[in-house]
Amino acid sequence: MSLARTSPAPSRGPRVVVIGAGIVGCSLADELTARGWTDVTVLEQGPLPAPGGSTSHAPGLVFRTGPSRTMTEFAKYTVEKFGSLDADGLPCFTPVGGLELATTPERWADLHRKAGLAASWGVRAELVGPGRCRELWPLIDEGQVYGGLHTPDDGLARAVPACRAQMARARTRGARFLDRHTVTGIERDGDRVTAVVTDRGTFPADHVVSAAGFWGPVIGRMAGVDVPLLPLAHQYAKTAPLPELAGVNDPLAEASRPILRHQDRDLYVREHVDRLGIGSYAHRPLPVDPFAVPAFDDAAAMPSSYPFTEDDFAPSWEDCRRLIPSLRAAEIAEGFNGVFSFTPDGMPVLGESRALRGFWLAEAVWVTHSAGVARAVAEWMVDGRASLDLHECELTRFEDAQRSPAYVAERGARQFVEVYDVIHPLQPPDHPRPLRVSPFHVRQRELGAVFLEGGGWERPHWYEANAALAEGIEVPGRDEWAARHWSPVAAAEARATREGVALYDMTPLRRLEVVGPGALAFLQHMTTNNLAKRPGSVTYTLLLDEAGGIRSDLTVARLGPDRFQVGANSPADLDRLLRCAPAGVHVRDITSGTCCVGVWGPLARALVQPLTRDDFSHKAFGYFRAMETYVGHVPVTAMRLSYVGELGWELYTTADLGLHLWDTLWEAGREHGVVAAGRSAFNSLRLEKGYRAWGHDMTTEHTPYEAGVGFAVRMDKGDFVGRAALEALGPPRRRLTPLLLDDPAAVVLGKEPVYVDGVPAGYVTSAAYGYTLGRCVAYAWLPPLTAGSGVGIEYFGEKVPATVADEPLFDPEMTRIRR
């Protein structure tokens, strides 16, 4: 008998089952195993390496630049990673570059804006004239072209070879890939996933990741998890061989010229050796039922490939012939309608379900972003957080009202239609609206409210009833882009708030209730500020992650010893608190059953005080205090808060009493010249005070000290989430920096690059014209700079001078709020 000691086998990490061996599943297996989680099984219903999903027919376009910094970072990593991979001696990425053409003045202006986005996100890009466009793409008619945006490092990803290369690496670390395994069920024990059931056996799992592509809703239904995506068919055609391309391209490399985008006609074009491939978004939406997609062996070509609809393609073919004259003698040799996924907002769906712990989604991901998404999800699973801000992609971002099949279908189809449209950042969707309205909606319409939309809510941005008040106010004119979804009426509403009193509908802001014997200890642990104050106190605080990044900022009112009302930002805040709440602490969303009016301005007390028997003086009802009282006949929770920098209160009541509260305030305010004011004025006023907007100005990628909200951190209160990480921080290497544009007539809108000494050094987060200051205010992430330093903000190709300012820019002594 041997007495030799044996070392325990090295840990392979938890058991992970990935459903789907397309580009996302293969990339995720590679990323997980590289981080030491090697007990990974990837299940695929079709044959490997090309199982018949969207990856198997993907044209492989990788354009990195867009309005979302996160999506751009996903695509940048995809280029970096696939560029380092090869299969059969050929690279998995070919940097042929990208060329986006403008054939209209509107598109040419938009390409200038897009060049700014590229500079903001660190993508090499150049605006080029018609002649240079012809040099890059000799087949085009340069007479139709105003210019183009050339991105030399974009290119073509070879999706199936990239899958093979990553499968090979993951296998060497212990992962296994099993094809011809159709998932038939997801097993659970209580609220945790335990196994994946297939037609060829059951696979125990601690974590299951649905990377099933347009089959995501099918897998989600098995798990009892909603997957809000719509599969749609997209046309792709190939020409017959073209004499003009004979001998131009290496048959193995396939292409040498940039991917061409003709977005004014919803088209893109790429080379296939001596042929051209043409993709079109110009046709009617063609939705596909994911529950009715044929199995691989039953499909005519592959499950994701549907018959080509020639009539839909005919207008696009004529558009191509006009742009590329050599196609006038050419023919379409083959085509198909390929299926892929769209969500209501066009972003991926990522993250772990709270309803079924251990069940993850990595869905609605295109090849462009696949490696970046896989890295982020792997970091999230292994480390508990991703290094990138993912709030735009988290599955928790959708409201309940945005998850209905009808909503997903309507908005998903709209995303397809608009995929190449020039979309203004404030542009609201047309349908389905109105969806969510506050109790004040009927009065707002009577006042001529101009509504935009967010989170399904109708949000007044200004009121045409105030147009007369704008007469005589000098407001700089705006260019066509900045003038969209804006009105000089906002200046009048801002002035009325600064000089009189205004009512703001704050109903869409999220409200949570946290109650129970352990509520205080729970919130103390979850947030950064000290909440151990007497009932009636209100505290601004932060939710951090374990690395000290800002998950959210909260306003917490202690209404009783064990009862708190929390002003939050998104459904993700509710999800976070519900995940962490101990037994006996109850967290619920009360937003839909309540409403809120902000009453702000120097005459706010004169309006409200006669309506209540309680003392609303500054001494009796101080700043950041709360009181439960009555305003007229209406029971309200009044909070002495102001996000516009003026005296006032937020007044909360139940939804059924909301209209009566509005009418009571409006009638009492007539003698004080009360006005209704919208979000446009609100945004201007809050930036003048330097108030941050989470998700715009700060995210999980930023610490409180970088973001300028370190005052909300109390290191002496005891332990809290993220505290250890904050203790280990060095000096900030960047800061959220207030800028004032030097030219009183200049305006920027956000996401523009900021240049320091002629070099891109950061980007604008939020911007609005400060009507009180007579200058546009912009906040930007920049290296530490001293007040008075000059910078340049690139706006549609022009460098706009701006100066670093001290904050707050308005009322630094806070005398107006604490009257």
Side-chain angles (χ1 to χ4, degrees):
M1 177 177 177
S2 172
L3 298 178
R5 295 183 180 181
T6 59
S7 299
S11 172
R12 301 183 63 207
R15 297 167 298 179
V16 180
V17 174
V18 179
I19 301 172
I23 193 64
V24 178
C26 291
S27 297
L28 181 58
D30 184 45
E31 296 288 338
L32 285 171
T33 55
R35 287 166 174 77
W37 281 22
T38 58
D39 191 350
V40 175
T41 300
V42 182
L43 301 176
E44 174 54 59
Q45 63 182 343
L48 292 174
S54 300
T55 300
S56 300
H57 65 68
L61 281 64
V62 180
F63 281 87
R64 293 168 296 165
T65 305
S68 167
R69 177 178 170 273
T70 296
M71 295 294 277
T72 297
E73 291 297 325
F74 286 159
K76 286 167 66 177
Y77 183 69
T78 298
V79 168
E80 175 188 335
K81 183 176 186 181
F82 289 3
S84 69
L85 296 175
D86 66 79
D88 300 325
L90 294 175
C92 293
F93 179 80
T94 306
V96 295
L99 180 62
E100 301 183 46
L101 298 180
T103 60
T104 64
E106 181 185 33
R107 181 69 63 178
W108 184 226
D110 188 60
L111 291 186
H112 282 75
R113 183 178 70 95
K114 199 164 189 180
L117 289 172
S120 289
W121 313 145
V123 175
R124 195 159 62 108
E126 178 188 16
L127 289 163
V128 296
R132 178 60 175 153
C133 290
R134 178 67 183 271
E135 290 178 12
L136 292 165
W137 243 86
L139 301 185
I140 67 169
D141 176 6
E142 66 180 283
Q144 296 189 36
V145 177
Y146 283 82
L149 179 67
H150 181 219
T151 48
D153 304 317
D154 289 341
L156 294 167
R158 299 171 63 235
V160 173
C163 285
R164 289 167 48 209
Q166 293 180 100
M167 277 193 278
R169 293 206 310 198
R171 280 177 172 140
T172 65
R173 304 183 190 116
R176 58 178 176 165
F177 292 78
L178 304 177
D179 63 0
R180 299 292 189 172
H181 282 65
T182 299
V183 174
T184 59
I186 306 293
E187 292 187 349
R188 63 195 297 162
D189 182 5
D191 67 349
R192 282 213 63 88
V193 70
T194 58
V196 176
V197 182
T198 76
D199 58 350
R200 298 175 64 179
T202 297
F203 297 83
D206 303 302
H207 295 274
V208 174
V209 184
S210 176
F214 60 81
W215 285 284
V218 179
I219 302 300
R221 180 175 293 183
M222 296 178 193
V225 175
D226 187 32
V227 183
L229 67 80
L230 175 71
L232 287 156
H234 161 60
Q235 292 196 300
Y236 193 78
K238 289 182 181 179
T239 67
L242 302 176
E244 294 83 356
L245 291 180
V248 170
N249 295 311
D250 181 338
L252 295 178
E254 288 195 9
S256 59
R257 291 169 182 159
I259 311 161
L260 194 69
R261 269 178 164 174
H262 183 19
Q263 292 168 294
D264 289 319
R265 290 294 181 269
D266 296 312
L267 294 166
Y268 62 84
V269 181
R270 59 153 292 184
E271 295 173 315
H272 290 277
V273 190
D274 60 351
R275 303 194 291 170
L276 292 182
I278 303 163
S280 172
Y281 293 97
H283 55 86
R284 61 194 168 94
L286 300 168
V288 172
D289 182 357
F291 293 89
V293 174
F296 186 92
D297 294 328
D298 298 328
M302 63 178 77
S304 62
S305 179
Y306 279 63
F308 190 62
T309 49
E310 293 183 7
D311 289 345
D312 288 317
F313 193 72
S316 294
W317 180 232
E318 292 307 311
D319 288 333
C320 286
R321 287 172 150 180
R322 278 190 288 271
L323 179 68
I324 305 173
S326 58
L327 292 181
R328 292 168 189 169
E331 295 181 351
I332 295 295
E334 59 182 287
F336 67 98
N337 291 358
V339 184
F340 63 145
S341 304
F342 284 81
T343 60
D345 59 4
M347 303 293 282
V349 182
L350 312 177
E352 183 190 22
S353 168
R354 179 171 45 82
L356 183 57
R357 303 293 180 93
F359 183 83
W360 296 75
L361 296 180
E363 299 290 11
V365 182
W366 296 3
V367 171
T368 302
H369 310 105
S370 56
V373 164
R375 178 178 65 171
V377 173
E379 289 174 338
W380 200 349
M381 294 176 70
V382 175
D383 303 328
R385 70 184 297 272
S387 55
L388 275 178
D389 164 48
L390 299 182
H391 83 273
E392 296 174 309
C393 308
E394 290 190 29
L395 65 92
T396 55
R397 71 187 182 272
F398 294 111
E399 305 283 348
D400 289 344
Q402 297 173 307
R403 291 181 172 274
S404 71
Y407 185 96
V408 172
E410 192 165 352
R411 287 289 175 91
R414 192 65 199 166
Q415 287 295 324
F416 178 91
V417 170
E418 294 179 345
V419 71
Y420 277 168
D421 287 1
V422 177
I423 303 294
H424 193 277
L426 292 177
Q427 181 174 321
D430 294 328
H431 302 285
R433 291 181 62 195
L435 183 62
R436 306 178 78 187
V437 298
S438 80
F440 322 131
H441 185 70
V442 62
R443 296 292 181 259
Q444 292 165 345
R445 293 182 61 186
E446 291 168 358
L447 293 169
V450 175
F451 294 98
L452 301 186
E453 189 249 28
W457 289 100
E458 295 296 315
R459 301 186 180 206
H461 270 242
W462 68 86
Y463 295 83
E464 288 298 331
N466 297 326
L469 300 177
E471 297 175 4
I473 298 179
E474 292 188 11
V475 180
R478 294 196 172 200
D479 64 90
E480 188 273 338
W481 184 255
R484 294 188 194 182
H485 311 295
W486 171 85
S487 169
V489 172
E493 294 173 3
R495 174 182 285 186
T497 308
R498 291 278 188 242
E499 297 179 357
V501 62
L503 304 185
Y504 287 81
D505 181 1
M506 306 304 290
T507 300
L509 299 185
R510 184 165 304 278
R511 292 171 293 284
L512 311 177
E513 183 181 73
V514 182
V515 298
L520 174 60
F522 167 59
L523 290 172
Q524 282 282 75
H525 175 69
M526 294 297 297
T527 70
T528 61
N529 214 332
N530 186 11
L531 307 181
K533 304 171 184 176
R534 67 183 186 277
S537 64
V538 182
T539 306
Y540 177 79
T541 188
L542 307 172
L543 273 177
L544 303 183
D545 62 22
E546 287 73 9
I550 304 172
R551 281 184 176 270
S552 188
D553 61 343
L554 309 176
T555 302
V556 180
R558 191 176 190 186
L559 302 179
D562 302 314
R563 182 164 65 96
F564 296 81
Q565 181 171 310
V566 178
N569 285 295
S570 75
D573 297 339
L574 173 65
D575 183 81
R576 174 70 170 169
L577 294 179
L578 284 171
R579 285 177 186 271
C580 300
V585 174
H586 303 282
V587 182
R588 69 185 184 103
D589 191 328
I590 61 172
T591 309
S592 296
T594 56
C595 59
C596 178
V597 184
V599 185
W600 290 313
L603 300 181
R605 184 176 287 113
L607 190 160
V608 176
Q609 183 62 83
L611 300 174
T612 179
R613 294 181 179 181
D614 287 299
D615 187 352
F616 271 50
S617 68
H618 179 63
K619 182 177 181 180
F621 196 161
Y623 191 52
F624 266 77
R625 297 289 299 165
M627 178 188 298
E628 293 181 295
T629 183
Y630 287 85
V631 169
H633 298 95
V634 180
V636 301
T637 299
M639 297 188 196
R640 179 91 183 272
L641 305 175
S642 174
Y643 288 94
V644 298
E646 296 293 336
L647 170 69
W649 290 266
E650 293 178 357
L651 303 177
Y652 298 88
T653 192
T654 52
D656 60 321
L657 292 168
L659 185 59
H660 193 75
L661 175 63
W662 180 279
D663 289 343
T664 299
L665 295 168
W666 188 262
E667 185 61 32
R670 286 181 181 274
E671 64 178 289
H672 304 292
V674 70
V675 304
R679 297 289 297 182
S680 186
F682 177 90
N683 201 43
S684 170
L685 298 169
R686 72 104 180 162
L687 281 173
E688 288 184 332
K689 282 298 293 180
Y691 293 140
R692 278 59 168 152
W694 185 85
H696 296 278
D697 301 317
M698 56 190 186
T699 68
T700 54
E701 294 184 31
H702 310 113
T703 70
Y705 308 116
E706 294 173 326
V709 289
F711 63 86
V713 178
R714 293 290 182 267
M715 299 295 282
D716 59 352
K717 75 162 190 171
D719 192 28
F720 56 85
V721 175
R723 178 196 168 104
L726 296 186
E727 289 179 328
L729 290 176
R733 293 181 294 176
R734 58 183 175 176
R735 293 186 185 278
L736 187 60
T737 305
L739 306 174
L740 282 175
L741 274 60
D742 295 350
D743 182 354
V747 172
V748 298
L749 301 182
K751 300 189 178 181
E752 297 88 357
V754 181
Y755 289 74
V756 177
D757 297 328
V759 178
Y763 57 92
V764 174
T765 59
S766 295
Y769 197 83
Y771 300 108
T772 315
L773 302 173
R775 292 283 193 283
C776 183
V777 180
Y779 272 76
W781 280 105
L782 292 170
L785 298 171
T786 58
S789 299
V791 301
I793 304 175
E794 183 178 320
Y795 182 73
F796 285 90
E798 300 291 329
K799 299 294 193 305
V800 180
T803 302
V804 175
D806 284 319
E807 61 175 344
L809 304 172
F810 176 78
D811 187 27
E813 303 300 323
M814 302 286 283
T815 56
R816 299 176 70 91
I817 290 177
R818 294 189 171 99
R819 299 178 187 224

